[in-house]
Amino acid sequence: MRLWSIHPDLLDRSALVAGWREGLLAQKVLRGLTTGYRSHPQLERFRTLPDPVAGIATWLHALADGADERGYRFDRTRVVVPAGAERLELTDGQLALEWAHLRGKVTARDPAWLERLTEPRPHPMFDLVPGPVADWERAPRPEA
């Protein structure tokens, strides 16, 4: 499961579609409707919010907005609450790690998309702050 911290406009088609699918699974987990993935580290940051379900819904709606701009139609009726004003902090270290991860994936599966990846921007619900890779991140850390 990868709930990207990167702006949906920068995600290639595969990352956007997979993010939608995985975000819907995360919503189900946060609602207590599944026994799997309950301890998944990607969910830790949403659990810090007063209403984690509203947080993942806000994340999902921004993904759907990015899909709409490209002519894709994600079924927003699957998101259980409207987008809210939920905000989370995102460290520049975490953004850099995800940026490198996305660039690596795109290099392999959609090299033409790589030219769009000139500068990382955070997903609209994140406020960028200085700091290291998040404690919950399980992806390998880049060499210092």
Side-chain angles (χ1 to χ4, degrees):
M1 180 184 295
R2 171 60 62 185
L3 302 174
W4 293 99
S5 305
I6 295 170
H7 198 288
D9 293 349
L10 298 170
L11 300 176
D12 67 313
R13 184 189 62 78
S14 293
L16 186 69
V17 171
W20 177 253
R21 183 183 64 247
E22 291 163 2
L24 291 172
L25 173 60
Q27 176 183 249
K28 191 172 182 180
V29 172
L30 292 170
R31 292 178 66 208
L33 301 176
T34 184
T35 55
Y37 293 96
R38 290 183 300 185
S39 299
H40 200 286
Q42 288 272 332
L43 300 176
E44 288 180 24
R45 59 185 164 175
F46 291 97
R47 287 189 173 116
T48 66
L49 293 167
D51 185 346
V53 174
I56 196 66
T58 298
W59 186 90
L60 281 163
H61 281 290
L63 223 65
D65 291 344
D68 288 347
E69 290 174 15
R70 294 192 218 174
Y72 302 139
R73 295 290 173 247
F74 290 176
D75 182 4
R76 288 181 194 253
T77 65
R78 299 185 68 192
V79 184
V80 297
V81 296
E86 286 72 23
R87 307 290 306 164
L88 285 169
E89 286 188 348
L90 171 68
T91 63
D92 54 3
Q94 181 65 32
L95 183 61
L97 180 140
E98 291 188 34
W99 187 246
H101 185 60
L102 178 64
R103 288 182 59 85
K105 294 260 188 198
V106 168
T107 297
R109 69 182 173 218
D110 190 358
W113 190 264
L114 197 58
E115 67 188 46
R116 296 175 181 243
L117 302 183
T118 58
E119 186 175 334
R121 290 189 334 263
H123 181 287
M125 81 174 290
F126 293 107
D127 297 315
L128 195 59
V129 298
V133 173
D135 290 340
W136 51 259
E137 181 60 68
R138 299 301 180 257
R141 304 308 201 256
E143 296 294 323

